[in-house]
Amino acid sequence: MVDNPAEEEVSSVSPLNTAGANGARRNIGPPTRVPQSAANPTRTANTRNPRPIRVPPASAGVPAAGNRPPVPRPGGPPRNPGPVRGTPRPGVRPPHVHYKPAKVSLLRRLCVPITTVVLVLASLVVIGILIKVVMDNYYYFCIKSFKFIPLDKWCDGQADCAGNEDELRCVQRVDFSNTTIVRLSDSGSILQILTSSRTWSYICSDGFNAASAKAACAEIGYSSKPTFSSVSAASLNGQFSNVQITDSEIQVVPISGTCASGSVISLSCIDCGSNHKKERIIGGQETSIENSPWQVSLQYMGQHSCGGSILTPRFILSAAHCFQKGQQQVDRWRVESGHSRLTYTFASQVDKIFIPTSYILDQKPNDIAILKLKSDLSFSAGVEPICLPGFDSNLQPGASLTVTGWGHTVEGGGAVASTLQEVIISLIPNAVCNQEYFGQITENMMCAGQLSGGKDTCQGDSGGPLVSLGPNSRIQQNGVVSWGDGCGRKNKVGVYTKVVPYLQWVTSIMKVEL
Ligand code: ARG
């Protein structure tokens, strides 16, 4: 090859071979010129010892030449590529031939591979999305055992993956263990602690300090800075005790008679239920989140599914029936807070979901749930906790209650409300409610609405808070939206899970999970 001038000639115009041909093998011109012309085929045509450009013979075996356009001949159309003929006559300048710049030619060469790569990548992305859609809707992938299982086997209570992997991040059932030894009364938020003889005792203000308050609040799952005050013990009957803190746990030291100071402790574990406000849900009206900053939206796979309420920066109260069969995968839930309009962007991730052991799927009793978030909510005007009622809270029939949510504004209405709705309803005695609901209303449920119909909660409001103004002028949550026959029908008022019977259940979970 090196000795074949024809081949050399061809090589010299091949952008890919120029350097080798000019610089290494041909001794034309000073070596310093070589690198310049190497990158520029047009320069090659003007070298000092020019020779006419020739097209390689088909059989010459020069790799890149076949891809080049035929070189134009002066004074006529380009000749068909043919065999290389003789050596050029010395002293005859070659026609001024311009080749397409190397860059264009390079681009052309790269065009096909680049397009192929782009197409392959695009197809991979599309295939990936399809696989994800299929996976999200039909399969769960067991990472450890590298196996697919049908989606309905995920969180079905039976291990289908190695190491129980498919059952690890699911809704958990928690018993009524009654582990909390602290409770607060409704009026005055008076602190009581369970003694070793299992009687509830008032706590004297004697020696009670910030550490005692912190320890008492931790017992019911609150870690915020508590506030406390002394109230007169004069009207109280029962056991009185002092407290002592051992290893940051609170312990009662019963005393005989009443407190030396004559006063007991009133405790507030969190600044909750601020009364900012002075009034579809069905028959309701739009409200803003600042009026109900404890209201949250529970979203399953990016869709509003239920309401909920903020108890602490970490814990949300809702309804057990929100976590139906097939919707028990904790990681698919998000909690959206702080927005009047339903949004899906800033949602908090969920760490754990608890429902009572006694809750039976698709049945009405014990319809309550606690969600533990992965990180603390930061409180603001639109994000605040609601107060839990005192253990002895007892609403009077006809009491005014407010309920909020993004649920349907018409029975069977296709979409949830885009802006938070609120409606004011009244407490209907269980006896009245049970006449219409054929005895399904248990002690742990309460009814609220308007017997004439038209004001009610509806699908999508479930889990949301039914609240009232408490005796301490703070808003407290009395019920959780649970069920009803249709929405807003005459004599078919909404049914709510009472919060009071579940206080121990709620606070013991918060305590353990604090
Ligand atoms: N179960 C419904 C939900 O999942 C709430 C129904 C309330 N019904 C009523 N009539 N108040 O959102």
Side-chain angles (χ1 to χ4, degrees):
M1 289 251 315
V2 183
D3 291 329
N4 183 339
E7 286 189 11
E8 279 184 34
E9 199 60 57
V10 171
S11 298
S12 72
V13 292
S14 164
L16 298 178
N17 291 339
T18 341
N22 286 346
R25 285 184 253 126
R26 299 181 64 194
N27 204 7
I28 306 168
T32 44
R33 293 177 67 171
V34 172
Q36 292 170 9
S37 59
N40 186 353
T42 48
R43 289 289 293 269
T44 313
N46 291 328
T47 44
R48 240 196 292 152
N49 230 346
R51 281 177 273 183
I53 307 302
R54 298 187 192 264
V55 181
S59 58
V62 179
N67 292 337
R68 279 198 317 271
V71 179
R73 289 174 59 234
R79 240 197 270 154
N80 278 344
V84 177
R85 293 205 244 134
T87 25
R89 273 173 294 152
V92 177
R93 283 187 71 81
H96 195 75
V97 180
H98 281 286
Y99 299 113
K100 289 221 164 134
K103 268 190 201 159
V104 173
S105 161
L106 199 65
L107 263 183
R108 249 198 220 165
R109 277 154 199 256
L110 290 179
C111 197
V112 173
I114 287 177
T115 318
T116 314
V117 168
V118 168
L119 283 178
V120 167
L121 285 180
S123 330
L124 285 179
V125 168
V126 170
I127 292 171
I129 292 173
L130 282 178
I131 291 178
K132 190 172 172 355
V133 168
V134 170
M135 286 291 295
D136 282 354
N137 291 292
Y138 302 101
Y139 292 101
Y140 170 79
F141 180 60
C142 314
I143 299 172
K144 279 190 215 138
S145 41
F146 213 79
K147 153 176 139 181
F148 291 94
I149 58 164
L151 202 63
D152 58 2
K153 290 195 179 291
W154 185 10
C155 289
D156 67 345
Q158 296 196 342
D160 297 286
C161 301
N164 204 19
E165 187 192 312
D166 55 319
E167 301 297 323
L168 292 181
R169 301 217 21 95
C170 306
V171 169
Q172 301 175 39
R173 292 177 168 267
V174 178
D175 216 344
F176 285 79
S177 50
N178 282 349
T179 56
T180 47
I181 57 158
V182 165
R183 69 182 191 183
L184 299 168
S185 76
D186 203 45
S187 71
S189 214
I190 293 173
L191 170 64
Q192 295 188 356
I193 303 187
L194 202 61
T195 64
S196 50
S197 53
R198 303 211 60 85
T199 53
W200 290 99
S201 170
Y202 293 109
I203 304 303
C204 302
S205 53
D206 313 62
F208 193 94
N209 56 24
S212 332
K214 202 166 169 43
C217 288
E219 269 298 316
I220 47 173
Y222 287 89
S223 57
S224 327
K225 205 165 176 266
T227 52
F228 61 95
S229 58
S230 305
V231 295
S232 168
S235 59
L236 305 171
N237 294 312
Q239 173 76 55
F240 295 88
S241 301
N242 288 319
V243 287
Q244 66 180 35
I245 307 292
T246 322
D247 294 336
S248 70
E249 295 249 329
I250 197 155
Q251 281 173 342
V252 276
V253 185
I255 55 170
S256 53
T258 187
C259 304
S261 59
S263 60
V264 294
I265 289 297
S266 160
L267 179 66
S268 165
C269 290
I270 197 165
D271 186 8
C272 55
S274 337
N275 185 11
H276 298 287
K277 205 195 144 220
K278 306 323 127 204
E279 186 155 317
R280 256 144 269 221
I281 278 194
I282 306 279
Q285 59 189 37
E286 276 189 9
T287 185
S288 82
I289 197 77
E290 287 78 14
N291 291 331
S292 299
W294 34 83
Q295 173 80 50
V296 294
S297 153
L298 265 51
Q299 305 177 344
Y300 181 74
M301 288 183 81
Q303 285 208 316
H304 170 86
S305 179
C306 271
S309 55
I310 301 169
L311 296 181
T312 73
R314 259 318 150 105
F315 294 100
I316 306 293
L317 186 61
S318 188
H321 85 261
C322 295
F323 310 97
Q324 309 274 11
K325 198 165 181 276
Q327 303 200 342
Q328 307 211 330
Q329 307 93 354
V330 172
D331 295 323
R332 292 187 156 192
W333 285 93
R334 296 277 186 278
V335 172
E336 183 80 30
S337 58
H339 301 276
S340 310
R341 286 184 73 79
L342 262 189
T343 51
Y344 298 93
T345 27
F346 311 101
S348 312
Q349 294 188 320
V350 179
D351 185 23
K352 294 179 182 176
I353 301 175
F354 304 96
I355 61 172
T357 316
S358 49
Y359 173 77
I360 303 169
L361 230 61
D362 298 329
Q363 296 203 6
K364 300 182 170 88
N366 306 307
D367 194 9
I368 196 163
I370 289 281
L371 284 81
K372 182 185 183 188
L373 303 178
K374 277 197 179 160
S375 54
D376 280 357
L377 292 172
S378 40
F379 291 159
S380 63
V383 185
E384 273 180 40
I386 184 75
C387 305
L388 285 172
F391 71 92
D392 52 350
S393 157
N394 191 20
L395 291 171
Q396 296 305 306
S400 172
L401 294 152
T402 302
V403 65
T404 40
W406 288 275
H408 292 179
T409 50
V410 214
E411 186 182 322
V416 288
S418 55
T419 303
L420 185 62
Q421 307 281 311
E422 93 172 356
V423 66
I424 296 177
I425 45 181
S426 18
L427 180 70
I428 312 284
N430 279 15
V432 175
C433 196
N434 248 332
Q435 285 168 13
E436 289 294 334
Y437 281 126
F438 317 107
Q440 292 183 86
I441 313 298
T442 69
E443 283 236 297
N444 295 349
M445 299 176 193
M446 62 195 277
C447 295
Q450 185 169 264
L451 287 170
S452 58
K455 286 188 171 195
D456 197 5
T457 41
C458 201
Q459 263 53 47
D461 288 322
S462 279
L466 175 74
V467 305
S468 69
L469 192 59
N472 46 7
S473 299
R474 288 179 178 271
I475 298 173
Q476 60 182 34
Q477 182 168 354
N478 305 96
V480 176
V481 181
S482 181
W483 61 280
D485 190 351
C487 302
R489 296 186 189 174
K490 189 164 181 269
N491 291 330
K492 300 283 189 186
V493 293
V495 187
Y496 298 78
T497 308
K498 269 190 198 167
V499 172
V500 171
Y502 296 93
L503 280 173
Q504 285 268 326
W505 184 81
V506 167
T507 54
S508 64
I509 291 174
M510 297 206 305
K511 173 197 167 178
V512 172
E513 294 290 328
L514 194 60

